Amino acid sequence: MTYLLDALQARIGEFVSLRRDIHRHPELAFEEHRTAALVADKLEGWGYEVTRGLGGTGVVGRLRRGTGPRRLGLRADMDALPIEERSGAAWASAHPGRMHACGHDGHTAMLLAAARHLADSGRFDGTLQLIFQPAEEGGGGALHMMADGLFERFPCDAVFAMHNMPGIAQGHLVLREGAAMASSDYAMITIEGTGGHGAMPQHAADPVVAAASLVMALQTVVSRNVDPLQAAVVTVGALQAGQANNVIPASARLELSVRALDREVRALLERRIRALAVAQAEGFGCRAQIDWRPGYAVLVNTPAETAFAREVALELLGPERVTPQGPPLTGSEDFAFMLERVPGSYLLIGNGQGADDGSPASAACMVHHPGYDFNDANLPVGAAYWVRLAERFLVAA
C-alpha cells in the first residue's frame, strides 16, 4: 500500500493548508457555516452531488460509480470548542474563545483529501456517501442529521468514522470490536431544605449536610452496585450552596457526569443515583429533585464491520502500526447514534507522543486542552485509509 500513501503524500500540501485554514477559523456547534461552505464547494468542484444544510449545517457529498448496489458512509465532524487557544501555532485560532481543540479540523481535512483522490482516480463500484457532521461536541449533531433524514435520503450499508488520539504514536491505528466509548448522561440534583441562622441549626433542615452526605454515598454506586468487571463513572463536578458562613441556605445543587460502557449498566446508574438522592435528602429532613438529561449513547462497533476495518488497516500499515483490539474509552461520541441505526465501526489514529516519536508537543497534548493541535502528518495516513476502505468495501468487479 506504499503507492497509495506516496500518492497522497505527494499532494497533501493542499490539505495541510486547508486544515490550517479551518483551524484559524473555528466555529462552534451549529455555527459551522464557513467550514460547511468550504467543504461543499470543494466536493462540488470534484464532481460530488452535494446536499447542504442537513441537520442545520451538515453536508453530504455523494459519488456514484458503476452499477454496484453497495453504499458506504464515511463521517467526519466539523465543530470546534469554546476554549482559548494556547498552542502557539502560526495558524492558531483568529477568534478569541474558540479553537479546534479536538482535531475536527484534521478529521475534515483527512476525509476531503480522500474525497479528492477517490473522485480523481478511485476504483470502486457503488455509492460513496461522505458525511460532514456539525455539533459533535455535546450538540448531538448526528441526531439532528438523522432527524433530517440522513439515512433515508442517503442509505448506507455501513458507516465508519475516525478520531485522532494523543498519546498514541503518530499514524498508529487502533480498532475495537464491541463497546468502544461510553454513554454520557448529565444529572442535576437540587436538595431543598429549610434555611436558617448558622448559630441555630436546630431550626433548619440543612441541605449542605445532605448534599455532602450524598456526594459520599454516590461513590458507592460504582464500587458496590456495578459489576466489578464493568466500567462506569459517576463524577460530581459541581456542588453549589449558600453565600455566607453564618447562614444555612435553603437549597444546594449538585451536577453529575455519569458514564457507562454497557446499556444495562447505564440504566442501573440512573436508578441508583435517583434512589440515593431521595433517600439521602429525606434522611436529613430535606427533599431531592432530580433533573436527568440523557446524553450520548454507548458507542458499539459491530463485529463484521470492525473486522473489515481491521483488515484494511493491516493491509495499509502492517501489524506493527495497528492495534487490532484496543481498550475502551470513557469519553463519549455521538457517532454512537449512527451506529444504532447502521452497522459500522469507529477507530482511532494516533496523534503522537511528543518527543518519543518526533511529534510536536502540541500534537501530543490531550484533546480539549488549550495547547492541543492536530498532527498534520496524519493527513496522508488517514486519507489513504479512507481511500483503501472505500475501494475495498465498494469493490469493482
Side-chain angles (χ1 to χ4, degrees), residues 4 28 36 88 98 101 109 148 172 176 183 197 201 208-209 250 252 257 267 281 286 304 323 331 333 354:
L4 181 56
L28 302 180
R98 306 201 307 259
D148 219 357
H172 191 99
R176 178 177 174 79
S183 59
H197 198 296
V208 177
V209 175
S257 175
C286 301
T323 299
E333 161 65 64

Side-chain angles (χ1 to χ4, degrees), residues 7-376:
L8 283 156
Q9 184 68 59
R11 68 190 307 178
I12 208 63
E14 171 189 355
F15 296 96
V16 172
S17 297
L18 184 149
R19 198 285 294 182
R20 294 178 180 182
D21 176 71
I22 295 173
H23 190 94
R24 278 187 56 79
H25 301 283
E27 297 171 300
L28 302 180
F30 300 116
E31 297 175 4
E32 308 94 334
H33 302 289
R34 182 183 185 277
T35 307
L38 185 155
V39 167
D41 290 346
K42 292 288 186 184
L43 293 174
E44 285 177 344
W46 300 330
Y48 284 78
E49 176 188 343
V50 174
T51 299
R52 305 178 187 231
L54 198 72
T57 45
V59 176
V60 178
R62 176 159 55 194
L63 187 64
R64 294 188 180 96
R65 288 270 168 84
T67 58
R70 300 197 82 189
R71 303 154 303 180
L72 171 67
L74 303 178
R75 173 270 207 177
D77 35 21
M78 301 187 294
D79 57 321
L81 283 157
I83 295 174
E84 187 72 29
E85 181 162 2
R86 285 177 171 65
S87 69
W91 50 88
S93 172
H95 303 276
R98 306 201 307 259
M99 75 169 286
H100 271 290
C102 205
H104 296 183
D105 51 339
H107 304 162
T108 296
M110 284 193 300
L111 190 53
L112 284 174
R116 174 80 185 265
H117 185 92
L118 286 163
D120 289 349
S121 53
R123 295 169 293 179
F124 66 92
D125 184 16
T127 302
L128 178 64
Q129 322 271 30
L130 302 185
I131 303 164
F132 293 86
Q133 181 205 304
E136 187 282 322
E137 297 289 358
L143 285 174
H144 285 260
M145 290 191 82
M146 290 192 294
D148 219 357
L150 173 63
F151 291 124
E152 290 77 20
R153 297 167 66 179
F154 307 97
C156 296
D157 297 305
V159 64
F160 298 85
M162 185 188 312
H163 200 293
N164 78 95
M165 181 53 63
I168 298 172
Q170 180 271 314
H172 191 99
L173 297 180
V174 181
L175 300 100
R176 178 177 174 79
E177 177 185 325
M181 297 190 75
S183 59
S184 177
D185 298 321
Y186 166 78
M188 184 169 69
I189 301 172
T190 302
I191 298 178
E192 298 178 344
T194 302
H197 198 296
M200 294 175 280
Q202 72 274 21
H203 298 303
D206 193 340
V208 177
V209 175
S213 181
L214 177 57
V215 170
M216 299 308 297
L218 289 171
Q219 308 312 304
T220 68
V221 174
V222 174
S223 67
R224 288 297 175 268
N225 298 131
V226 175
D227 185 329
L229 299 181
Q230 296 278 10
V233 178
V234 178
T235 294
V236 180
L239 198 171
Q240 299 169 335
Q243 294 180 323
N245 72 317
N246 63 343
V247 177
I248 295 172
S251 66
R253 187 176 75 232
L254 297 83
E255 297 187 41
L256 281 63
S257 175
V258 184
R259 298 171 186 264
L261 281 160
D262 178 88
R263 295 183 180 101
E264 293 184 3
V265 171
R266 184 186 188 188
L268 168 68
L269 293 175
E270 180 178 357
R271 291 196 303 272
R272 290 300 301 139
I273 289 169
R274 286 182 178 277
L276 279 173
V278 171
Q280 290 290 316
E282 290 180 349
F284 292 91
C286 301
R287 300 173 307 282
Q289 293 184 353
I290 301 104
D291 178 12
W292 191 275
R293 302 179 190 178
Y296 291 175
V298 180
L299 187 150
V300 181
N301 290 328
T302 50
E305 288 68 30
T306 303
F308 169 73
R310 187 182 296 121
E311 289 174 8
V312 173
L314 290 167
E315 287 176 9
L316 182 69
L317 299 177
E320 67 280 359
R321 295 180 64 188
V322 176
T323 299
Q325 182 70 356
L329 300 176
T330 51
S332 302
E333 161 65 64
D334 76 345
F335 187 65
F337 295 121
M338 293 191 182
L339 292 177
E340 289 183 328
R341 292 276 300 277
V342 178
S345 195
Y346 182 88
L347 67 148
L348 303 177
I349 183 168
N351 205 52
Q353 299 168 312
D356 290 345
D357 65 357
S359 300
S362 57
C365 191
M366 186 46 67
V367 294
H368 292 218
H369 187 280
Y372 165 88
D373 192 21
F374 182 84
N375 193 334
D376 285 328

